[in-house]
Each structure stands twice: as structure tokens, then as C-alpha cells.
Amino acid sequence: MMVSFKEVKENEAIAEYIRKADSSLIALGYTEHSFAHVGKVVSVTEYIMQTLGFDEKDIELAKIAAYMHDIGNLVNRVDHSQSGAIMAFRILDNMGMEAADIATVVTAIGNHDEGTGVPVNEMSAALILADKSDVRRSRVRNRDESTFDIHDRVNYSVTHSNLAISEDRGEILLELEIDSNYSSVMDYFEIFMKRMILCRKAAERLGMRFRLKINGQILL
């Protein structure tokens, strides 16, 4: 049967896994990966899929993958995309989702991270772009600026972030405004180069060119 995004979002067990996964990342000193992050990733994934003309069922499945993409952090940060995919398989199977739909969602979740991920299909590509574009000050939980590491500095420095597809659907642009009092453009590339390469590959999988603009300058 078709399991809806609404059913997944209202599932208290899934919500608890998201909360507990984020608790593990708090202990590790990572940026926010809770409902604000997954909500943003759901919204941007939906925007990409809708803009490129995918049907409602594919959009619904993509939103489910986006909502559940980080639950594997509950197990361990290392290889969290694979463990999250396995968790999603069991959850969605128990909810009665059809095998073909489960396969689509699991593939997207299992390929969203830059460590091992590959945009093997359009849905995984959309999820990658949505996830890796969520860079913003409000994700930094450390309030002591004197103890910021490079990840804190880079995320805190981003005062504006937007991902947009061109009217001809030929390009997808990630536009950032960075406060240089906290980090430099070089700092951004130091920690996010692998993510930007993965975004380029994801954009290509969707038939587009990935562009990056920082403080008004096109860098990719």
C-alpha cells in the first residue's frame, strides 16, 4: 500500500529516533540535525522535485526519504546513511509500504552522505542537494564563540543561504552570504569540498549544472 509522508511525519517512533539521533550528535559536538534540519531538507527536496516536474508519488517518497535521512546517527555517526537506510527499511516495511517504494526510499537515504554516497537516481540526487545546502548560523549549538572549531565557525558565519533552480532548469545555484569575521571562503572549502563535489554530481544526475555563489562571487 502507499504510505504517505503525513503518516511518516505523524509516526511517534520515527520522531523519537530523530530526537535520539540528534542527542547523540549533541554529545559529539555536531551541528543541529533535529526537526529544523529535516524540515528544511524535506522542503528543499520537495522544491527540487516539483520544479523538475516529477510526479506526486515520487515527490511523496522523496519527502519521506528526506524526513528519515539522518536517523542512522542513532546507531553511529560513522556510516549513518547505511544504518539509517536499514532502519528505514524495517520501519516502512512494518508500516506496509510496497517493496518498490521501500527500495526507492532506502536507496536515497543510503546514498545521501558525502563519505560513501553516490547520486544513483534522481531522488538521491535531490536529497543530496537539499541536505548539503543546509548551512546556516542557527544550526550551531555551541554558544561560546571562543571555543568554536572550524565547523562551528563556518556554519555560524553563514548569514544567508538559498538554493534555486534557474528558469530553464539548466542550473542549480547555492547562494551564501558569509560573515568574514567568523570564517573565510577558504575555510568553507576546507570542510565542504567533498560536499560540493557531491552536489555537482547530484546536479549532473538531474541534468543540471551546480553553481556556488559566495558573497556575490561565483566560485563554482
Side-chain angles (χ1 to χ4, degrees):
M1 72 177 194
M2 179 64 186
V3 174
S4 69
F5 171 67
K6 182 175 183 290
E7 290 175 278
V8 168
K9 191 174 181 181
E10 291 177 351
N11 186 294
E12 183 52 38
I14 296 172
E16 183 65 12
Y17 298 149
I18 292 171
R19 283 190 287 266
K20 287 299 196 298
D22 189 52
S23 294
S24 295
L25 295 182
I26 291 173
L28 293 170
Y30 277 81
T31 53
E32 182 268 325
H33 282 71
S34 190
F35 296 103
H37 172 60
V38 298
K40 176 72 171 177
V41 176
V42 167
S43 176
V44 176
T45 300
E46 181 179 27
Y47 160 72
I48 294 170
M49 298 287 285
Q50 283 183 339
T51 303
L52 296 180
F54 287 89
D55 65 33
E56 287 303 316
K57 180 177 180 181
D58 283 340
I59 294 170
E60 194 80 350
L61 292 175
K63 289 166 64 178
I64 290 170
Y67 187 74
M68 300 178 72
H69 79 279
D70 268 340
I71 58 174
N73 287 298
L74 177 70
V75 178
N76 198 294
R77 178 63 181 173
V78 177
D79 295 331
H80 73 279
S81 54
Q82 285 86 354
S83 53
I86 293 168
M87 290 175 65
F89 172 85
R90 182 180 183 277
I91 294 164
L92 296 173
D93 186 44
N94 286 342
M95 291 178 72
M97 182 179 279
E98 295 178 4
D101 294 344
I102 293 173
T104 302
V105 172
V106 165
T107 297
I109 294 173
N111 280 282
H112 83 270
D113 190 63
E114 67 270 18
T116 54
V118 178
V120 294
N121 57 28
E122 288 82 0
M123 189 179 298
S124 61
L127 177 55
I128 286 166
L129 287 161
D131 182 39
K132 303 313 172 193
S133 65
D134 187 22
V135 186
R136 51 187 162 81
R137 175 169 290 187
S138 57
R139 293 191 71 187
V140 178
R141 289 185 279 218
N142 181 5
R143 296 306 174 201
D144 184 357
E145 294 179 15
S146 67
T147 63
F148 277 4
D149 62 13
I150 188 171
H151 290 84
D152 290 332
R153 291 201 313 272
V154 169
N155 279 279
Y156 196 81
S157 73
V158 178
T159 59
H160 173 76
S161 156
N162 186 61
L163 191 76
I165 295 171
S166 62
E167 288 188 13
D168 65 0
R169 302 180 184 177
E171 292 184 349
I172 185 163
L173 173 68
L174 174 58
E175 186 171 6
L176 304 174
E177 292 293 332
I178 289 179
D179 183 345
S180 59
N181 290 315
Y182 294 98
S183 78
S184 66
V185 173
M186 186 61 72
D187 289 335
Y188 180 87
F189 277 104
E190 181 179 340
I191 66 170
F192 287 153
M193 180 59 78
K194 286 185 178 179
R195 298 185 188 186
M196 295 301 96
I197 291 172
L198 187 57
C199 283
R200 186 195 70 200
K201 293 177 180 178
E204 291 171 352
R205 187 69 178 81
L206 291 165
M208 296 184 292
R209 179 183 179 186
F210 178 70
R211 306 298 300 272
L212 174 66
K213 181 190 281 188
I214 299 180
N215 291 352
Q217 298 295 314
I218 294 288
L219 301 176
L220 290 176

